[in-house]
Structures are given as C-alpha cells and as structure tokens.
Amino acid sequence: MHEYCILSDADKVQVKNLQDISIRSYHILGYLTVQKDGYVSLSFNQKDMYNLITQHRKKKVKGSDANAAISYLRGKAGDDSYFFGKYTLSNVNRLEKLFWADRTSHIDYEYFGNVLTFASTYNRNVYNKLLIFSGSNHHGQTIIFGCGLLFLNEDISLYKWLLQTFLEIIGNKHPRLVVTDKHLSMREVIKQVYPYAIYRLYAWHLHRNACEKVKNYGFLNDFKELIYVNASVEEFEVKQRHMVEKYNLSSNYWADQTYELRYLWALAHLRNQFFGQIGTAS
C-alpha cells in the first residue's frame, strides 16, 4: 500500500510558483507526476497538493489581493460620490473585514429597502466568508444593496461591524423585515443592530437542513406543506403534532429546535407580514 507524506520543500516551491503564473491545479499535478516518473513515485497525493494551493491562495489574499481591493475601492470612491467602501486592519496590518456599496445599491435601497436579505458563503472561496445584502425590486428581481468580506473566523463582533456599517451608508434607514438563515450568531447581531425589524428564516435553508437531518421523502413533503400551510396557529399546531407522531420525531433534536423557531418560518405565524416572496421559496 502506497504511503503518503507532506510535500517536500522543493515540491512546495514548484507548486506555488506554477500556481502564481495561473497554471491549473490538475496541470501542476500532471507536471510533477511526469517529473517523478509516475504517480506511484509521488510522496504526496492530490489532496495534499490542493490543500497547499488553498493555503497559498489565502496568504495571497492577506497581501497583494487585499491591497489591490483597497486600491480599487479608493479609485471607485474618487469617481463616484455615492460609492462607499470601508475596511479594518488587524494589529499585524492584515485586512480583517471589508464592506462596499455603489450608487445603484444606494438608490435601490431607498426604494426597496423595507425587506433586507442576508446571504452568506462560508469556506466556499479563498476569502473565508462573503456576506451579501440584497432585496427584491418591483419586478421580483434580486437587487444588491451591498457586500462584505470577512477574513477572520466567525465572530458576533464582525457581523455587527458589517451591519452597522451598512446602516451608516444608507442614512440609518432601518429595514422593516429581515430574512436570513438559521445562523445563531447572525440572529443575535440582527437583534442588536435592527431591534425593531421582523425576522424570518429562509424556507430553502430549512428545507435543506430537513434533507440532511431527517432522510425521509414523505417527511420532506409534509414539512414543506407545514411551512406554507394557510391555516390558523391552532390548526398549524395540530398538523405539526401529527407530523411528529407520523415520523416518530418526538426525540429528534433538530425537529425540537426547528419547532421552537416556528414563529420565524411558519406562514401561520407570519401570515400578516409581507415579505414580497423573499425567502419563501424552497
């Protein structure tokens, strides 16, 4: 059985240099394979090399890419009086967090900012976490109000900075309704920064979690119906109890936690609030 180890210093230098000149990862692996007379002669596997490339990219973000982003924001601000960019640096002079919004975003929020949506991607790109502030216009099209990047691990203070910065650039106009995922840190900071906003969870996020936590096709259909059922709170409770009994979920932790948050996702509890269909699609 072939034993793998980490890349040698010489291999690391080659991989980084080739990646810096935009050689694709699988081409780099192929080059090293030929260089060492075959895949079985490699002292590392594909995952080892890809992990090294990912780490290398993240380090570049903290250096040249970050400087380029800041320079770009400064240039845009000079050309557009409505453009806003703000960032903070760590105690070792590395970029911590970044926020920007342009003229179109500012104007769109003035007209359509009653409902605010937060969508985030975590560990899906080399910048760690991207947070998008968005909404919907009168045609039902998604519009962007602003974007933020976090370069450090998740922390309530980082979210709070982004939300407060967003509030600053749009003249302290608070959203009436906020739609986001089930992330506990995000829920807490929303309550602090937008204390009077009505909060709703994404239906698609709930449905995705249901697919992971309860692997039963019949349950997924019944749970989706429970989200959208046009019923009174009392009728909703009856349907919910019946679903729990039907699928034997009385001791299921996810089901219990989701039920506790029912007032944030069930139409029966939100039927008097208009979200413009934002966050309702599953």
Side-chain angles (χ1 to χ4, degrees):
M1 184 174 181
H2 190 78
E3 296 292 336
Y4 292 106
C5 64
I6 61 174
L7 285 81
S8 67
D9 290 340
D11 289 334
K12 289 179 180 179
V13 170
Q14 284 200 90
V15 169
K16 292 176 182 179
N17 287 339
L18 291 170
Q19 204 281 322
D20 285 342
I21 59 174
S22 301
I23 303 299
R24 294 186 177 182
S25 300
Y26 64 89
H27 286 157
I28 297 175
L29 182 63
Y31 170 75
L32 293 177
T33 300
V34 172
Q35 189 182 66
K36 296 178 182 294
D37 297 323
Y39 187 78
V40 294
S41 299
L42 294 177
S43 62
F44 57 90
N45 60 21
Q46 181 179 359
K47 184 178 180 181
D48 294 329
M49 194 195 74
Y50 281 20
N51 286 340
L52 174 66
I53 290 175
T54 298
Q55 294 169 4
H56 182 55
R57 286 174 177 170
K58 287 185 176 182
K59 289 180 180 179
K60 286 177 63 181
V61 166
K62 296 175 182 178
S64 59
D65 284 4
N67 291 330
I70 293 172
S71 297
Y72 174 78
L73 294 181
R74 288 172 176 169
K76 291 288 291 184
D79 297 333
D80 183 357
S81 60
Y82 275 86
F83 186 88
F84 181 94
K86 189 173 183 178
Y87 64 92
T88 66
L89 300 175
S90 69
N91 55 7
V92 291
N93 206 36
R94 288 181 175 175
L95 194 59
E96 284 184 322
K97 43 192 181 290
L98 172 68
F99 179 87
W100 71 95
D102 60 14
R103 175 187 293 267
T104 300
S105 297
H106 193 280
I107 294 173
D108 281 344
Y109 187 82
E110 286 294 320
Y111 287 101
F112 307 109
N114 285 334
V115 182
L116 180 63
T117 303
F118 298 103
S120 60
T121 59
Y122 183 54
N123 281 342
R124 296 180 185 175
N125 55 71
V126 297
Y127 302 101
N128 204 16
K129 191 170 188 76
L130 170 66
L131 188 67
I132 301 173
F133 298 70
S134 63
S136 180
N137 64 17
H138 54 302
H139 296 296
Q141 300 167 323
T142 298
I143 49 179
I144 306 300
F145 300 139
C147 295
L149 280 173
L150 302 179
F151 294 82
L152 300 177
N153 294 329
E154 296 178 86
D155 184 85
I156 289 181
S157 64
L158 300 179
Y159 286 119
K160 189 172 184 178
W161 181 90
L162 285 176
L163 295 181
Q164 289 176 329
T165 300
F166 175 73
L167 197 59
E168 174 188 342
I169 72 157
I170 44 84
N172 288 313
K173 177 185 176 182
H174 285 243
R176 291 179 52 250
L177 306 160
V178 174
V179 183
T180 189
D181 60 27
K182 197 179 176 181
H183 199 287
L184 294 179
S185 297
M186 182 60 72
R187 287 174 53 206
E188 288 303 315
V189 77
I190 288 173
K191 292 177 183 178
Q192 295 177 28
V193 182
Y194 307 135
Y196 306 110
I198 296 171
Y199 182 64
R200 180 183 190 136
L201 294 176
Y202 271 118
W204 66 262
H205 183 83
L206 285 169
H207 197 261
R208 184 185 67 182
N209 281 347
C211 293
E212 296 174 355
K213 303 298 183 180
V214 184
K215 301 183 184 301
N216 185 300
Y217 185 76
F219 166 78
L220 296 178
N221 286 333
D222 288 354
F223 180 62
K224 184 174 181 180
E225 180 182 349
L226 193 66
I227 295 174
Y228 298 110
V229 63
N230 187 15
S232 66
V233 172
E234 292 75 17
E235 292 170 330
F236 168 86
E237 292 295 328
V238 172
K239 289 180 177 293
Q240 193 275 337
R241 285 196 297 270
H242 175 70
M243 185 182 71
V244 169
E245 293 172 0
K246 180 179 178 180
Y247 297 102
N248 192 27
L249 297 173
S250 58
S251 59
N252 184 285
Y253 178 78
W254 175 84
D256 290 343
Q257 292 297 305
T258 301
Y259 174 72
E260 290 298 318
L261 298 174
R262 62 195 179 281
Y263 57 92
L264 299 178
W265 55 263
L267 179 60
H269 288 273
L270 296 165
R271 60 193 306 177
N272 295 324
Q273 305 299 332
F274 176 72
F275 285 85
Q277 296 186 340
I278 296 177
T280 60
S282 62

